[in-house]
């Protein structure tokens, strides 16, 4: 691990090690982020699915656990354009799965997560709480949001999956981009949910580093110090790891998800839009094998489709059926280590030297 990488990363983010714990909404906790930040890497909270009050509470709880910098993440998706006839058709598609779990299918679906551009109260909360780093997924936020964060001294990151998205992020004035390869677990950061070029991290990282004038963080399938060093050698300023932290006791990973990550099932992951309406990678399960239609246009837009999947998962769990959990995970999930977050960061750093 070169001193140059450490010093440049530290200058930008205020922590020593060029490692970011990914802001996985639903899986991250203040305890996880604090353990990572207290280990001189950058801990993160995934707040895209949180209400303003919930997001504020998580940030304040995290501040009680660490005085080190941390990252908070929000969604920047386009508002759904799905029409009611498509929603009703999707409900009918899922009805047999609800009935098999002794539950009624919903009568309609909601757009459960507002994008940051349409959430003035969340933006006001961000500027009041002033987190050190704010990252965005699914697009670039409005220019005044970026400027307001940078005005108080915060850093702004945007996930990108193509060079075109990288150019758009750079033009917006963000401080760095996260190059998300197709290997990554969870939701793809592509700006257009209908267009995923599915570029691998090695190719994406090299292209972005050679064409952009702002730092690039690598993400996707990175699980150990060797993987981090590989991305640094290709020009990344640092690496973002998500799946690697899912088995940490501080994470909010569910018991079934943990069991799958520790089993041979973790070898098989795949991307589907059937869960949320956006492409996302998880351990291959019922959504990929049975629910995903041949015609992807049948799936309602994000996050309307996600409302259906969440309701179906809740109904199934009430029926003691855990098969409908998304179980987000990257392609290298079989390499997960069950360690406290601080010990995992220490091992990653040792593997880099």
């Amino acid at each position: 691990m070169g001193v140059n990488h450490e010093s440049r990363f530290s200058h930008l983010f205020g922590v020593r090690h060029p490692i970011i714990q990914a802001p996985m909404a639903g899986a991250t906790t203040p305890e996880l982020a604090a353990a990572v930040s207290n280990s001189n890497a950058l801990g993160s909270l995934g707040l895209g699915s949180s209400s303003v009050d919930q997001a504020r509470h998580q940030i304040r709880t995290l501040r009680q656990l660490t005085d080190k910098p941390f990252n908070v993440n929000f969604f920047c998706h386009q508002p759904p354009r799905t029409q009611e006839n498509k929603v009703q058709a999707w409900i009918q598609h899922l009805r047999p799965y609800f009935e098999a779990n002794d539950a009624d299918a919903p009568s309609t679906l909601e757009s459960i997560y507002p994008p940051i551009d349409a959430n003035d109260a969340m933006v006001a909360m961000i500027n009041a709480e002033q987190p050190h780093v704010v990252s965005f997924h699914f697009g670039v936020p409005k220019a005044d949001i970026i400027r307001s964060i940078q005005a108080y001294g915060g850093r702004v990151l945007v996930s990108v999956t193509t060079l075109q998205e990288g150019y758009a992020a750079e033009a917006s004035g963000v401080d760095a981009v996260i190059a998300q390869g197709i290997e990554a677990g969870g939701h793809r950061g592509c700006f257009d949910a209908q267009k995923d070029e599915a570029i691998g991290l090695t190719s994406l990282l090299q292209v972005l580093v050679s064409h952009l004038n702002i730092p690039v963080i690598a993400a996707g399938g990175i699980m150990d110090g060797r993987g981090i060093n590989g991305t640094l050698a290709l020009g990344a300023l640092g690496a973002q790891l998500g799946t690697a932290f899912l088995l940490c006791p501080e994470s909010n990973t569910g018991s079934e998800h943990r069991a799958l990550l520790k089993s041979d099932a973790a070898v098989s992951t795949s991307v589907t839009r059937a869960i949320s309406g956006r492409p996302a990678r998880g351990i291959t399960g019922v959504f990929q094998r049975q629910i995903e239609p041949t015609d992807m246009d049948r799936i309602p837009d994000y996050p309307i489709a996600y409302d259906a999947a969440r309701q179906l998962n809740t109904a199934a769990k009430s029926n003691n059926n855990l098969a409908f959990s998304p179980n987000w995970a990257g392609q290298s999930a079989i390499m997960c280590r069950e360690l406290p977050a601080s010990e995992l960061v220490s091992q990653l750093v040792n593997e880099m030297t």
Side-chain angles (χ1 to χ4, degrees):
M1 178 170 55
V3 174
N4 185 46
H5 278 104
E6 279 195 349
S7 61
R8 290 173 61 214
F9 193 88
S10 179
H11 174 74
L12 190 61
F13 298 115
V15 296
R16 179 182 177 187
H17 304 307
I19 299 169
I20 300 176
Q21 163 251 313
M24 303 167 285
T28 55
T29 64
E31 292 75 18
L32 175 63
V36 174
S37 289
N38 286 334
S39 300
N40 286 306
L42 189 67
S44 304
L45 290 173
L47 302 177
S49 59
S50 301
S51 69
V52 174
D53 288 343
Q54 289 169 337
R56 181 187 297 110
H57 176 72
Q58 287 203 54
I59 290 171
R60 292 182 176 179
T61 301
L62 176 52
R63 279 223 167 91
Q64 294 174 355
L65 300 173
T66 185
D67 59 359
K68 301 293 179 64
F70 56 84
N71 167 42
V72 296
N73 179 265
F74 298 93
F75 300 153
C76 202
H77 53 283
Q78 293 297 312
R81 299 158 301 201
T82 301
Q83 300 194 356
E84 187 61 21
N85 60 346
K86 181 180 282 190
V87 170
Q88 292 301 321
W90 189 243
I91 291 172
Q92 292 305 314
H93 180 66
L94 296 178
R95 186 177 299 279
Y97 299 95
F98 278 96
E99 292 176 347
N101 286 284
D102 300 325
D104 294 328
S107 59
T108 189
L109 301 173
E110 304 293 335
S111 181
I112 52 178
Y113 306 140
I116 194 69
D117 284 356
N119 196 342
D120 292 343
M122 189 70 84
V123 175
M125 186 280 297
I126 294 170
N127 289 314
E129 296 298 325
Q130 300 189 356
H132 307 79
V133 182
V134 184
S135 60
F136 296 97
H137 212 53
F138 305 145
V140 177
K142 293 186 295 188
D144 60 343
I145 296 177
I146 297 172
R147 288 195 297 265
S148 69
I149 295 166
Q150 293 172 332
Y152 70 70
R155 303 293 192 181
V156 179
L157 304 179
V158 166
S159 294
V160 301
T161 64
T162 66
L163 178 59
Q164 290 72 24
E165 292 173 357
Y167 281 144
E170 182 177 50
S172 74
V174 302
D175 295 283
V177 296
I178 300 167
Q180 189 198 36
I182 188 62
E183 302 92 338
H187 279 93
R188 304 278 295 136
C190 39
F191 293 7
D192 186 341
Q194 314 300 319
K195 297 178 181 178
D196 185 2
E197 295 189 19
I199 303 172
L201 177 58
T202 299
S203 295
L204 178 63
L205 181 56
Q206 291 180 95
V207 169
L208 291 174
V209 167
S210 64
H211 284 78
L212 301 185
N213 296 308
I214 57 175
V216 181
I217 309 297
I222 308 167
M223 299 293 287
D224 59 15
R226 295 172 304 167
I228 296 171
N229 281 341
T231 67
L232 299 183
L234 290 175
L237 183 65
Q240 177 172 283
L241 288 69
T243 303
F245 288 92
L246 287 176
L247 285 180
C248 294
E250 300 94 338
S251 80
N252 195 40
T253 310
S255 59
E256 176 67 10
H257 195 175
R258 288 178 185 272
L260 289 172
L261 287 167
K262 291 187 283 186
S263 75
D264 290 342
V267 172
S268 177
T269 69
S270 49
V271 175
T272 181
R273 281 178 47 203
I275 296 175
S276 73
R278 276 188 157 270
R281 181 180 295 280
I283 295 174
T284 304
V286 67
F287 281 96
Q288 292 93 332
R289 293 192 179 105
Q290 299 178 29
I291 293 177
E292 183 173 88
T294 304
D295 180 5
M296 294 297 175
D297 287 339
R298 295 177 59 193
I299 304 172
D301 287 353
Y302 177 94
I304 292 174
Y306 214 176
D307 186 29
R310 287 168 62 88
Q311 292 189 57
L312 178 53
N313 187 35
T314 298
K317 283 183 175 180
S318 298
N319 204 39
N320 297 316
N321 181 356
L322 302 179
F324 293 86
S325 171
N327 299 318
W328 303 131
Q331 283 188 334
S332 303
I334 196 68
M335 295 174 65
C336 263
R337 290 176 278 193
E338 192 170 18
L339 294 170
S342 61
E343 291 185 26
L344 178 57
V345 172
S346 179
Q347 286 210 16
L348 292 171
V349 172
N350 288 337
E351 291 163 356
M352 294 170 67
T353 57

